[in-house]
Amino acid sequence: MVQMNRGIVVDTSSSPHSLLRPVPISSSRIDDEFWTPRRRALREAGLPSQFEMCEATGRIDNFRRLSTGKNDPFQGRVYNDSDVYKLLEAASHALAEQHDQDLAATTDGVIEAIAGAQRPDGYVHSYFSLEHEHQRYSDLTTQHELYCAGHLIQAGIAHRRATGSGSRLFGVARRFADHICDTFGPDAREGVDGHEEIELALAELYRETGERNYLDQSIYFLQARGREPSLMPAVPGAYERSYYQDHLPVTDQTEVVGHAVRATYLATGMMDAALEAHRPDMARAATNLWESAFERKAYITGGLGARYEGESFGDDYELPNETAYAETCAAIGGVFWSWRMLCRTGDAKYADAIETALYNGVLSGVSLDGTKYFYVNPLTSRGGYERADWFDCACCPPNIARLLMSLPGYFYSTSEDSLWVHLYAAGGVRASLPDGRAIEVEVETRYPWDGDIRLKIVEAPVSEIALRVRIPGWCDRATVTVNGRGAQPDAAPGTYLEVKRRWNQGDVVSLSLPMPVRKLSSHPQVTTNQGRIALARGPLIYCVEAVDHASIDLLETALSRLDEFDMRHDRDLLGGVTILRTIGERLPKPFDERSQIRAVASNRNDEVDKLPITAIPYYAWGNRGVGAMQVWIPAI
Ligand SMILES: [Zn+2]
């Protein structure tokens, strides 16, 4: 049974500077052929396997050693608690959408261990207790203590929003938050964590409780970065200050730098301050940073972070394909950040960024069966790279789980007199506007395989309501009609089209978003992509994979800029995908096979070797064994 109004991801219902209000996870239904099977796989296979991995690697025993008093040694990395918290958050979002006795029981068992590990003063960290208690808060720069706390707080809030006010996890989280508020601040101990996360967690705790001190504490931590002298001591093993975004006060930062996941979480926290407090300086800085990240430093897949070194952003247009880092968590952090930008402005470019990441650089992070994960998401592979069940540093698997379990919460919003439709999937929504008026809409579509979308009004008030439907930035020549009439002339790409009227039950708004194959080229400063094109259709970025090209070396093939593509939907391939096919050609090799170089002929050799080329969606690569893959393909 679906429980109504459960599970809000970012509760901007009362945020003074948010245009958009949230629609709970349980009120937005995704029932389609794209997201439903992969979300089910993650829920039914992924979450149980992640709980098993947390058990097998001692992550939950780390809490039990405190709750049972057994005094066993701590296992694994110092920040492993955070993986358990993120997994509990994912499970809570899943429970908000649909109750599940087994999942609830598993969740409760882990919560019991965490509750038992809480120290009398409210502190929770399975490493910095018992034998390491004297090191508590001794190295915030590298030890992730407040980062872990932030994930506990987010998990507690999600659990309370899913299960009600009696949530034990929320009680634990709040006591720890109170301890942190008592411990850190201008009149207490000065300090800030090297890995941002506590900032956004405390802002959400403010939203959940209405208690202003949590928001003030969040803003304190934001402003504790970039001080002179730094509040982050240069302990052994520490990186330079920009790695932690500590090189300048956050409101003075204009270029996104350093560790990519941290940078996205920081900007997300800055946007929370902008949404909740009167902080236009935070909004302005987060906007500048967003433009730096998404207009000059993002992969076509929504991947963020070009460099392995420091898991970091590179320079502008530094976007190598083979050595792309593009951590799954950074693409996810980009979604959290863009969502808050969207809430504040209603600008469709932020929804475009969310869509690009979700269908490409986030989704590539998980296998089709929901149990294997990429940490790094390259855009070229020579082969030999595959998803893993788990990682020693396992931030990505539970992060993708918590995002995809909360996915329905990102499809719709409300504002004063409007229902906003950001993303498209078959299903529907029942939303209450801020003034209490309810509207229910059913959505029929085969998106992203087909751009025809029907929004049918199931219930609406007798007064006027606007439907604001997103025309994706990739879509030229969109048309929108109401009950088959009145094509809207202003369905411009990258906008929300407003259709305002008194709705009758059965009214249908139809969108037609044409999805031809798009051939894309990069900014010329992206030197690795010069002379190359990428293929896209609708929101999906495509790639070519060796398994579809058995007789040729994938990295030695080229496409013609002019060739047409044949499209075919194959229900049996990769869970059902639309594939693109064309004829490419083999690139010439050196005449001397011992040489790496070749003299260019003054006239083009007419006897080129023609080859059939098949492209599949990027998110689906690596699900048929190990082999080469390429997104940006040489074009001739
Ligand atoms: Zn990660």
Side-chain angles (χ1 to χ4, degrees):
M1 189 187 73
V2 174
Q3 298 158 308
M4 293 307 289
N5 296 323
R6 285 185 175 262
I8 292 177
V9 189
V10 184
D11 190 359
T12 52
S13 319
S14 308
S15 306
H17 305 284
S18 183
L19 173 67
L20 303 185
R21 310 281 175 227
V23 172
I25 293 168
S26 63
S27 304
S28 323
R29 190 167 48 85
I30 296 177
D31 184 11
D32 71 342
E33 60 182 277
F34 187 83
W35 290 111
T36 303
R38 61 198 78 250
R39 293 182 72 241
R40 188 186 301 131
L42 199 50
R43 182 186 178 114
E44 293 178 0
L47 294 183
S49 78
Q50 291 194 27
F51 275 113
E52 279 170 29
M53 293 310 294
C54 284
E55 284 287 7
T57 56
R59 281 171 166 80
I60 300 171
D61 278 340
N62 283 341
F63 293 106
R64 290 198 190 103
R65 78 195 189 107
L66 301 169
S67 60
T68 60
K70 271 193 177 161
N71 235 341
D72 295 329
F74 177 88
Q75 299 177 62
R77 297 197 182 214
V78 66
Y79 47 79
N80 276 2
D81 290 1
S82 61
D83 303 325
V84 179
Y85 299 146
K86 271 190 281 187
L87 182 54
L88 288 176
E89 186 188 336
S92 299
H93 293 318
L95 290 171
E97 187 176 8
Q98 188 187 334
H99 187 70
D100 174 328
Q101 208 138 352
D102 291 343
L103 184 60
T106 305
T107 303
D108 286 347
V110 177
I111 292 171
E112 188 173 341
I114 295 168
Q118 187 159 40
R119 305 287 89 185
D121 61 359
Y123 183 88
V124 191
H125 195 293
S126 74
Y127 178 84
F128 292 104
S129 295
L130 295 181
E131 70 274 35
H132 301 290
E133 194 145 17
H134 62 286
Q135 296 172 330
R136 209 196 254 194
Y137 301 139
S138 62
D139 175 11
L140 294 178
T141 312
T142 70
Q143 300 296 298
H144 297 72
E145 241 166 318
L146 298 177
Y147 166 85
C148 289
H151 280 304
L152 170 59
I153 293 165
Q154 284 191 318
I157 295 167
H159 190 253
R160 187 190 207 218
R161 289 175 181 168
T163 64
S165 57
S167 164
R168 189 175 182 194
L169 188 64
F170 180 76
V172 171
R174 190 169 182 175
R175 280 186 62 209
F176 192 12
D178 289 340
H179 169 80
I180 291 166
C181 291
D182 289 344
T183 305
F184 293 98
D187 305 322
R189 178 181 183 143
E190 296 265 39
V192 60
D193 200 279
H195 197 314
E196 299 88 337
E197 161 62 22
I198 187 70
E199 296 83 355
L200 40 155
L202 286 170
E204 200 62 38
L205 187 58
Y206 161 69
R207 294 189 178 113
E208 181 64 14
T209 61
E211 291 199 14
R212 174 81 198 193
N213 63 315
Y214 298 128
L215 179 62
D216 293 341
Q217 190 69 34
S218 167
I219 292 171
Y220 164 76
F221 283 131
L222 290 171
Q223 294 180 332
R225 291 195 125 67
R227 294 243 202 113
E228 294 301 340
S230 172
L231 290 181
M232 279 183 229
V235 295
Y239 285 79
E240 61 191 5
R241 291 181 68 178
S242 59
Y243 171 90
Y244 310 97
Q245 296 79 41
D246 184 44
H247 56 300
L248 284 170
V250 295
T251 48
D252 292 346
Q253 296 188 22
T254 55
E255 182 184 1
V256 71
V257 295
H259 187 275
V261 179
R262 296 173 203 235
T264 61
Y265 284 20
L266 170 63
T268 302
M270 291 164 69
M271 281 308 298
D272 281 331
L275 290 166
E276 300 305 331
H278 183 63
R279 290 306 297 259
D281 55 341
M282 291 280 182
R284 199 163 36 242
T287 304
N288 289 336
L289 290 168
W290 193 93
E291 288 167 3
S292 167
F294 287 89
E295 295 175 0
R296 298 184 289 281
K297 298 190 182 192
Y299 284 98
I300 192 173
T301 55
L304 299 173
R307 295 181 186 169
Y308 272 71
E309 170 69 34
E311 305 181 304
S312 65
F313 281 102
D315 293 333
D316 285 355
Y317 306 115
E318 177 191 338
L319 293 165
N321 293 313
E322 198 172 340
T323 57
Y325 198 70
E327 181 180 341
T328 303
C329 285
I332 292 168
V335 171
F336 298 155
W337 177 8
S338 297
W339 177 252
R340 287 155 176 82
M341 303 293 295
L342 179 63
C343 285
R344 187 167 183 277
T345 62
D347 187 333
K349 74 178 178 183
Y350 301 119
D352 280 341
I354 291 169
E355 181 177 76
T356 297
L358 286 175
Y359 281 96
N360 303 287
V362 169
L363 196 51
S364 58
V366 61
S367 61
L368 294 176
D369 70 0
T371 64
K372 292 188 166 51
Y373 309 92
F374 277 149
Y375 193 111
V376 170
N377 293 270
L379 281 78
T380 293
S381 172
R382 290 173 190 270
Y385 182 59
E386 59 186 327
R387 293 181 184 83
D389 296 337
W390 193 246
F391 305 95
D392 181 32
C393 169
C395 50
C396 299
N399 219 357
I400 197 165
R402 71 180 179 143
L403 176 59
L404 293 189
M405 289 300 100
S406 63
L407 190 67
Y410 291 93
F411 272 62
Y412 308 97
S413 298
T414 60
S415 63
E416 196 102 330
D417 62 347
S418 305
L419 174 66
W420 297 64
V421 185
H422 307 300
L423 301 167
Y424 297 108
V429 59
R430 184 182 166 77
S432 296
L433 301 193
D435 61 13
R437 292 183 294 163
I439 179 166
E440 186 171 348
V441 177
E442 206 172 88
V443 182
E444 291 173 15
T445 181
R446 287 191 60 244
Y447 201 86
W449 308 122
D450 182 305
D452 290 334
I453 300 149
R454 280 164 51 88
L455 305 166
K456 191 167 143 198
I457 307 298
V458 179
E459 190 195 323
V462 288
S463 47
E464 273 194 338
I465 282 189
L467 269 187
R468 290 174 190 264
V469 293
R470 178 176 148 258
I471 311 299
W474 51 259
C475 185
D476 297 328
R477 296 193 298 280
T479 56
V480 180
T481 59
V482 181
N483 296 332
R485 290 189 299 276
Q488 305 280 332
D490 50 352
T495 63
Y496 284 89
L497 178 75
E498 183 192 74
V499 189
K500 189 170 186 176
R501 55 188 270 149
R502 274 174 64 164
W503 298 100
N504 293 311
Q505 193 181 351
D507 281 349
V508 174
V509 176
S510 299
L511 283 80
S512 170
L513 308 177
M515 291 184 172
V517 177
R518 288 176 293 129
K519 295 171 194 165
L520 305 172
S521 66
S522 261
H523 190 290
Q525 294 285 343
V526 184
T527 53
T528 42
N529 293 345
Q530 285 170 353
R532 291 171 185 263
I533 59 173
L535 304 173
R537 180 172 181 268
L540 297 169
I541 302 301
Y542 277 70
C543 68
V544 288
E545 199 177 13
V547 62
D548 296 312
H549 305 90
S551 60
I552 56 177
D553 189 323
L554 191 65
L555 303 185
E556 295 173 10
T557 57
L559 293 176
S560 162
R561 290 173 192 277
L562 303 175
D563 275 351
E564 294 299 315
F565 286 83
D566 163 41
M567 281 183 265
R568 187 166 65 81
H569 194 75
D570 186 339
R571 287 193 170 278
D572 300 321
L573 183 67
L574 295 164
V577 287
T578 296
I579 58 172
L580 313 179
R581 290 186 303 190
T582 191
I583 302 295
E585 56 187 71
R586 198 185 302 272
L587 289 166
K589 280 206 222 186
F591 299 113
D592 176 353
E593 55 187 47
R594 290 169 306 176
S595 175
Q596 290 183 74
I597 53 173
R598 172 184 189 275
V600 176
S602 55
N603 55 346
R604 194 158 179 253
N605 184 354
D606 289 327
E607 291 183 24
V608 289
D609 212 353
K610 296 281 187 184
L611 310 159
I613 300 286
T614 299
I616 61 159
Y618 172 75
Y619 74 79
W621 90 275
N623 278 283
R624 293 173 291 171
V626 175
M629 179 278 298
Q630 181 139 260
V631 171
W632 287 100
I633 306 164
I636 48 180

